Amino acid sequence: MPVSRRGPDPLNMIPPSVAGMSLSRRGFLRSAAVGGALVGLPGLLSACGDDGGGGGAGTSMSLGMNEAGDIPPAQRLRAMAEAFTQKYDIEVERNEVEHNTFQENINTYLQGNPDDVFTWFAGFRMNQFAEQGLITDISDVWPIEGIPDSFKEASTASDGKQYFVPKDYYPWAVFYRKDVFEKNGFEVPETQADLMSLMKQMQSKDMIPFSFADKDGWPAMGTFDILNMRINGYDFHMSLMAGEEAWDSSEVKQVFETWRELLPFHQPDPLGRTWQEAATSLGKGETGMYMFGTFIVDAIPDVKDLDFFTFPELDSSIGADALDAPIDGFCMVAGAENEDNAKKFLGFAGTAEAQDAANNGADAPFISANESASTDTYTDLQKKSVEVVSAAANIAQFLDRDTRSDFASTVMIPSLQKFLEDPDDVDGVTTSIQEQKVSIFGS
Amino acid sequence: MSQAQPVAAAVEKDHGPRPKRKRGEKQRLSSRDRAVVVTMVAIPTIFVIGLVWIPAIGSVILSFANWGGIGGFDTIQWIGLKNYEDIVNIYPPFWPAIRHNIIWLVFLILGPTMLGILLAVILDRELRGSRFYQTAFFMPVVLSLALIGFIWQLFYSQQQGLLNDVLGTNVDWYGDPDINLWAVLVATGWRHTGYIMLIYLAGLKGVDGTLREAAAIDGAGEVKTFFQVVLPVMRPINLIVVVIVVIESLRAFDIVWVVNQGRNGLEIIAALVTSNVVGEASRIGFGSALAVIMMAISSVFITIYLRVVMKDEQS
């Protein structure tokens, strides 16, 4: 549903659009009972989550996970929790929930009887919960040695206190096959001119320059983000996300205009294609590049020569030093039953030791948030991720993590799809976004 | 038993002062029967009020609010008709959704419903292998619409789908907003046809054979017999079919949600309600307003249906 999933897919056998959806619908029924019907039945979700061992004060705590099953993100979390239990002799009761289901029920979950600690995202969405009093100030577990300042900032809410402990992150960048580039003599582009000539070169070899898919609604946000950050800069992007800029401004129109000019170099009909299909096209060499998150490897695990570069600069006065690199981590709920243990866990989760344990738990294209975490077990893509993200001066989270979630899902997803369907109507799309933005943000 | 007595006594007492004659008529029910009747009425009433009316009224009230679904009722902002104004004026998916729901209804009536009735009439003639055909046509009905959406994805996928392979085309069946509604309707119709066929077939089996014989003796042909004898006898079934079709098209949701969550050419009201209310994006007030609009539309059909049924009963 609305909330994007940018994690590996749990049900590789089933097309993800279906796998996720059936669960979403179940989730819908739950929230419909609670949300749509108004009256407070907030315990509904937690009834299936919390298995109520709660009483064992002192020796246990509970962890709500937005991952479940035998997939790397869940395995990583389990490995981290086990390392914690071993070290502190505190039992961790894991409440594992499939990703989309967890996301869609988060409101009812948090207002019901949630676990002490739950997996969440840094930035705007953490701040939203902090302002609503759903999560607790955990500034006393900070500072955490090895966590860079920029991550501390992403863990800080508007009241200046920390509410979040970062676990890992991954960048969005342009993926390509090294062997294809070598065979054809393609060069990694650094400027707009490089990019244009590369795309034309690819077309002359009957290759579509960019893979592109937006059936799920959120992948196009990655493209919007990077274009806006390249054309208008990071600061403008963030204040646009915060609702402080107008969506029908000339700056935003410029982004859509540029996008429209780039669309002929993308796979046509993106609205009927899933990102996995787009990734497969890249893997087969039908397309040359794909602007995506590093979890692209989940769709094409057999492609060995995968590499990536940051999106080239489009305006030399802006440069190319900003990118999307969403940070995942943990928050503690308000009124946690086992507060002391939960804080111990949070303090531990940020350490290099905990993040190494996660890394050893499963191979996944994530990078530890802690700078002193070991990089020995990193794959080439992980090493490259570290390199690319360290080179960035500014890091955004992702459109649906940097702005109000209702705005992202009910306005931005349909609007971007509308634009992709009819790219010539830039004015219509931007005006419509602006009208709805005013209605939602209240100004 | 011993506990039931005082209650019964109380009931008896209540009826005490009434005029004797009326009381005499009602006396047929023993006090125990009366208790049973009261319970049998009360329990469903409680369910109807608790599960239908309170949520419905709650939705109407919330449709005048701006609320993120977090915090107590004191965090609700009352904003009057603004949600409705926004829906009609600046919410782009709304009008397409209304249009799609209407197309859905008309298509189901003209296409699969008619086809289902035709199949039922043909199968009713006891052809050879008619059992086999019945089963084959009915098969999709046991599948959920969500699953049907997935099954048809195997046909419709642009790059890996059967349909494009066979036709040698490159159509984006689920993705092209001009086509996907029809693609989804065909998939829905696949199931709906079998459903209607079964209901109608059951109805046809119940038609008294002597009526047909009489018609045949009077010299009426097949077609004439069907339209002038069988169809009028089938009136109750026809009504049920109409109601089912209307309900199916209003509650259309699963398949669209599975395909693309009701976006990009597949906007329908139920999906819009969901995407606004569900998850972190809970625009409870806005979603409720959409739900109320949906409720208003269904009420129109429900009213028509009830009027027809009640007229029927009266005559």
Side-chain angles (χ1 to χ4, degrees), chain A residues 142-165:
Chain A
W142 285 84
I144 300 169
E145 205 190 314
I147 301 278
D149 282 348
S150 56
F151 281 30
K152 184 172 182 184
E153 201 171 308
S155 311
T156 307
S158 53
D159 63 357
K161 305 271 176 49
Q162 287 76 43
Y163 286 80
F164 181 84
V165 170

Side-chain angles (χ1 to χ4, degrees), chain A residues 262-273:
Chain A
L262 290 173
L263 274 179
F265 299 101
H266 286 66
Q267 276 181 307
D269 305 328
L271 301 183
R273 194 179 298 111

Side-chain angles (χ1 to χ4, degrees), chain A residues 163-232:
Chain A
Y163 286 80
F164 181 84
V165 170
K167 173 172 60 88
D168 48 27
Y169 63 104
Y170 56 89
W172 278 68
V174 183
F175 285 79
Y176 67 97
R177 273 176 57 182
K178 264 189 285 191
D179 53 337
V180 171
F181 266 49
E182 271 161 29
K183 198 179 82 190
N184 292 294
F186 297 152
E187 298 271 339
V188 168
E190 274 170 15
T191 63
Q192 186 172 17
D194 292 350
L195 180 68
M196 292 311 282
S197 73
L198 173 63
M199 292 193 298
K200 292 205 169 108
Q201 251 181 302
M202 286 177 169
Q203 280 182 327
S204 71
K205 309 228 163 165
D206 277 337
M207 193 185 275
I208 300 173
F210 277 102
S211 269
F212 194 41
D214 196 35
K215 185 174 168 184
D216 307 300
W218 51 263
M221 291 175 170
T223 309
F224 176 85
D225 283 358
I226 202 70
L227 291 178
N228 194 26
M229 285 191 275
R230 290 290 177 269
I231 292 167
N232 297 312

Side-chain angles (χ1 to χ4, degrees), chain B residues 134-157:
Chain B
Q134 270 179 42
T135 320
F137 289 126
F138 189 66
M139 198 83 88
V141 182
V142 301
L143 305 175
S144 79
L145 268 176
L147 193 58
I148 285 172
F150 165 57
I151 292 172
W152 282 79
Q153 181 128 322
L154 302 176
F155 294 95
Y156 284 144
S157 166

Side-chain angles (χ1 to χ4, degrees), chain A residues 289-359:
Chain A
M289 301 174 278
Y290 192 13
M291 171 70 209
F292 209 68
T294 52
F295 58 93
I296 188 176
V297 296
D298 295 335
I300 42 173
D302 301 330
V303 179
K304 295 289 171 236
D305 263 346
L306 208 59
D307 196 4
F308 62 91
F309 54 87
T310 34
F311 198 89
E313 73 172 34
L314 297 178
D315 178 339
S316 54
S317 66
I318 301 282
D321 62 355
L323 54 84
D324 271 332
I327 306 168
D328 291 342
F330 304 96
C331 290
M332 184 167 89
V333 300
E337 278 178 42
N338 306 295
E339 194 176 320
D340 293 341
N341 291 343
K343 279 191 178 166
K344 265 184 209 156
F345 177 81
L346 290 167
F348 175 75
T351 62
E353 185 188 351
Q355 300 188 354
D356 285 346
N359 241 325

